[in-house]
Amino acid sequence: MSVPELTCAEFVEEITAYLDGTLPKDVAVAAEEHLAGCPGCRAAVAQWRTVINLTGRLTEDDVTNADPLATDRLMTTFRRLRRR
Ligand SMILES: [Zn+2]
């Protein structure tokens, strides 16, 4: 089975679904593969898991209060999701 490679930008686009456990299985596998080789995205996931554990869910306020390095990418993702 070949696993599609995710870029960081692609992973971030899927991060909320990844954390919700709602990714399609092949994408989830690709996400795990990406995390295995990408400390930056591992850190982002750990950060979001902490936020979710604290709040029980992911909200835009959480994004606003998050690490500024991650906030721009995540806000872009949220805006894109909202337009769907
Ligand atoms: Zn990455």
Side-chain angles (χ1 to χ4, degrees), residues 18-39:
Y18 174 78
L19 291 167
D20 282 343
T22 56
L23 283 179
K25 190 157 185 270
D26 59 335
V27 183
V29 169
E32 295 289 352
E33 289 282 315
H34 182 83
L35 286 174
C38 185

Side-chain angles (χ1 to χ4, degrees), residues 6-9 11-12 34-35 37-42 73:
L6 287 181
T7 65
C8 289
F11 178 79
V12 168
H34 182 83
L35 286 174
C38 185
C41 287
R42 275 207 301 277
R73 290 191 300 176

Side-chain angles (χ1 to χ4, degrees), residues 10-11 13 15 20 28 34-36 39-40 42-43 46 53-55 58 63 65-66 69-70 75-76 81-83:
E10 287 166 343
F11 178 79
E13 284 186 17
I15 196 166
D20 282 343
H34 182 83
L35 286 174
R42 275 207 301 277
N53 284 341
L54 289 173
T55 65
L58 201 55
V63 175
N65 294 330
L69 286 176
M75 285 305 295
T76 301
L81 289 171
R82 188 170 289 162
R83 277 204 303 268

